[in-house]
């Protein structure tokens, strides 16, 4: 399966470096599959949909998943599935622009965002995205034993949710068996927001203190972050795996 890397959002936080919403577009036998979806057209037309966090992230106009899919030469109507690392607005907002696609998320994330909302979750999850009765497959449990002591839930052939909670109560990385940016076959692991500053797992990069501080400030279960970073470093060191994350521009291929 060919894996494309797309920019589905650009944000200009007042306190830090510019960041992107890095998503994957997979040419899958069941149709096109998006992994995460950035922000949506309606969000950029009416940023109040995004709630108060928009002031911290400041999404920039003109960059969405649907635009990126079109610019990559694909028909948005062919997007059949959206596999979500979690349901924060900068990951699920763009899914609304693919009304016929089936969403995949962990059951823990779906309940935290829709039926068991507590504390910070009241503002971080936006019912403008979640309340429009999308077709959702919420996947329960931890899945099966996977690489390096982790577990994985296969949601489509070759595409798995890898539970990695901490940023949110149901956060998962997404693993895709496919063709990597360098042309080789292997696994692309989209870590979502399990890490903000990619230097946590890639020691060749320099530390970005503001991204680290922001990650801690928005984490639902902060004590889980360190373990996730260590797991991602182990995966990054695995020659079969390419690790990317959602927001660090330095790990966007090319
Ligand atoms: Zn995010």
């Amino acid at each position: 399966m060919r894996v494309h890397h797309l920019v589905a959002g650009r944000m200009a936080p007042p306190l830090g470096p510019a960041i992107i919403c890095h998503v994957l577009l997979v040419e899958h036998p069941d149709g096109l599959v998006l992994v995460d979806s950035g922000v949506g057209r309606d969000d950029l037309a009416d940023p109040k949909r995004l709630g108060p966090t928009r002031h911290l992230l400041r999404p920039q106009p003109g960059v969405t998943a649907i635009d990126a899919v079109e610019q990559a030469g694909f028909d948005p109507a062919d997007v059949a599935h959206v596999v979500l690392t979690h349901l924060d607005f900068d990951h699920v907002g763009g899914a609304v622009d693919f009304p016929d696609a089936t969403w995949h998320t962990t059951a823990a994330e779906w309940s935290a965002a829709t039926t068991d909302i507590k504390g910070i979750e009241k503002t971080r999850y936006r019912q403008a995205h979640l309340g429009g009765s999308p077709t959702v497959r919420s996947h329960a449990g931890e899945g099966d034993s996977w690489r390096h002591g982790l577990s994985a839930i296969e949601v489509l052939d070759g595409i798995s949710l890898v539970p990695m909670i901490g940023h949110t109560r149901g956060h998962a990385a997404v693993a895709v068996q496919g063709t990597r940016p360098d042309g080789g076959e292997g696994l692309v692991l989209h870590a979502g927001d399990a890490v903000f500053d990619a230097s946590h797992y890639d020691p060749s990069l320099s530390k970005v203190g503001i991204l680290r501080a922001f990650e801690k400030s928005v984490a639902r279960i902060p004590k889980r972050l360190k373990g996730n970073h260590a797991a991602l470093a182990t995966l990054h060191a695995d020659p079969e795996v390419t690790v990317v994350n959602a927001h660090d521009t330095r790990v966007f291929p090319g």
Side-chain angles (χ1 to χ4, degrees):
M1 297 189 291
R2 191 139 177 242
V3 181
H4 305 264
H5 295 254
L6 306 180
V7 175
R10 286 190 187 277
M11 299 188 282
L15 297 175
I19 58 175
I20 56 171
C21 299
H22 180 168
V23 307
L24 308 178
L25 182 70
V26 184
E27 295 184 50
H28 191 279
D30 293 349
L32 294 173
V33 180
L34 267 176
V35 175
D36 269 357
S37 66
V39 293
R41 283 179 175 167
D42 288 350
D43 299 330
L44 297 181
D46 177 15
K48 286 198 183 101
R49 282 163 59 90
L50 304 176
T53 316
R54 73 185 186 278
H55 300 299
L56 284 177
L57 293 175
R58 289 207 305 213
Q60 302 296 295
V63 189
T64 64
I66 190 168
D67 292 313
V69 167
E70 285 173 350
Q71 283 158 18
F74 295 97
D75 183 346
D78 293 335
V79 174
H81 299 273
V82 184
V83 183
L84 297 154
T85 61
H86 66 298
L87 298 171
D88 278 344
F89 74 72
D90 53 319
H91 298 259
V92 72
V96 174
D97 291 328
F98 304 91
D100 298 326
T102 298
W103 300 6
H104 298 261
T105 175
T106 68
E109 185 70 5
W110 186 249
S111 73
T114 59
T115 56
D116 181 33
I117 309 168
K118 293 174 183 155
I120 188 181
E121 291 158 0
K122 288 177 190 149
T123 50
R124 79 185 302 164
Y125 296 122
R126 308 307 301 168
Q127 299 311 316
H129 301 140
L130 306 172
S133 55
T135 303
V136 178
R137 278 192 219 157
S138 65
H139 300 267
E142 294 291 308
D144 300 316
S145 165
W146 194 63
R147 290 168 181 251
H148 306 297
L150 298 165
S151 67
I153 307 162
E154 189 166 56
V155 300
L156 294 164
D157 282 350
I159 302 183
S160 299
L161 291 164
V162 180
M164 226 172 253
I165 66 168
H167 179 65
T168 63
R169 284 194 277 156
H171 187 284
V174 178
V176 181
Q177 187 69 45
T179 307
R180 297 177 312 212
D182 65 5
E185 283 298 312
L187 205 63
V188 179
L189 186 95
H190 192 304
D193 283 355
V195 65
F196 278 41
D197 171 6
S199 74
H200 272 301
Y201 67 82
D202 182 348
S204 72
L205 298 171
S206 55
K207 184 173 154 179
V208 184
I210 189 81
L211 284 182
R212 292 180 175 214
F214 185 61
E215 178 180 35
K216 278 189 194 152
S217 73
V218 295
R220 185 68 174 78
I221 312 170
K223 67 181 180 194
R224 297 297 291 265
L225 300 184
K226 207 171 162 188
N228 293 341
H229 298 165
L232 292 168
T234 302
L235 287 161
H236 176 71
D238 182 334
E240 291 178 12
V241 182
T242 302
V243 179
V244 299
N245 72 355
H247 298 310
D248 192 325
T249 56
R250 297 172 298 175
V251 296
F252 189 84

